[in-house]
Amino acid sequence: MTIKEYLNKLADRTPAPGGGSAAALTGALGSALLAMAAKYILKRDEGEDAARRLMTLMREDEKAYGRLAREIKKHRPKKLLRLYKNAINVPLEVCVLSAQSVSRCATICGHCKTSIMSDIVEAVILCEAAFFSAKLNIKVNLRSIEDAAYKNEIGKKLAVEEKKMQKAKKTVLAKARKFLR
């Protein structure tokens, strides 16, 4: 599907693709910028695997939502817990991959002495947006799960990833400020 086709589908009056798919695309864009910057700066691939996986997660999010919506309509509560957890796993992976890409940006920006620094900062911004968008989807789905231990486990995972991402973002922004002086 082309970007134009995807955006048209996203703009349709249908529930999917929706925010989860858009979050994965946003992370894929950021990870692809990271990959481009790494090829210039480090002369190696970095971030391409994350970008490809996030593109796959765009479709997986749509499928997870579709399965969940069908079961809700059929009033089959026994399957719902598993489907809600599956609907959480996709954006959770988006969060993890996006946070990892921000961390990689922090690593390569230390070697950057060119205008590619703006691409690195933009990658961070996109990946951070993907993280928080996916986190919102997780929180929405967690509302339908009563298992307190599971909710706590997911909350801890998100907190760890967010903390790492914010630390890496600070590093990138500090180096970008020095570069722009």
Side-chain angles (χ1 to χ4, degrees), residues 12-163:
D12 280 347
R13 191 174 187 269
T14 58
S21 177
L25 173 60
T26 303
L29 291 169
S31 295
L33 268 176
L34 159 65
M36 181 268 293
K39 286 177 184 169
Y40 276 105
I41 297 166
L42 304 176
K43 311 286 190 250
R44 68 173 191 248
D45 289 344
E46 186 90 22
E48 281 188 72
D49 289 343
R52 277 192 289 277
R53 179 64 185 147
L54 286 158
M55 292 292 291
T56 300
L57 290 171
M58 286 173 61
R59 292 180 295 282
E60 286 185 21
D61 183 78
E62 289 179 53
K63 290 176 187 174
Y65 177 81
R67 287 188 295 268
L68 179 61
R70 281 190 298 278
E71 290 304 315
I72 289 171
K73 285 180 183 178
K74 292 177 183 177
H75 304 288
R76 294 192 219 177
K78 289 182 182 180
K79 289 187 174 184
L80 288 180
L81 178 60
R82 179 180 54 82
L83 292 172
Y84 271 114
K85 286 183 177 182
N86 187 47
I88 287 168
N89 287 337
V90 174
L92 183 60
E93 189 174 352
V94 171
C95 286
V96 169
L97 290 170
S98 297
Q100 287 172 351
S101 289
V102 172
S103 293
R104 288 183 180 124
C105 286
T107 300
I108 69 167
C109 79
H111 304 283
C112 184
K113 294 173 178 50
T114 69
S115 59
I116 291 177
M117 181 63 81
S118 65
D119 295 298
I120 296 169
V121 173
E122 289 165 22
V124 168
I125 292 166
L126 288 166
C127 288
E128 182 183 44
F131 181 95
F132 286 115
S133 181
K135 181 180 174 182
L136 175 63
N137 286 333
I138 291 168
K139 289 185 173 277
V140 167
N141 286 321
L142 280 175
R143 291 177 49 224
S144 299
I145 295 177
E146 295 176 11
D147 182 347
Y150 177 77
K151 286 179 163 184
N152 191 39
E153 175 189 339
I154 297 298
K156 284 181 181 178
K157 283 181 184 178
L158 285 171
V160 166
E161 294 300 325
E162 187 173 340
K163 186 175 181 180

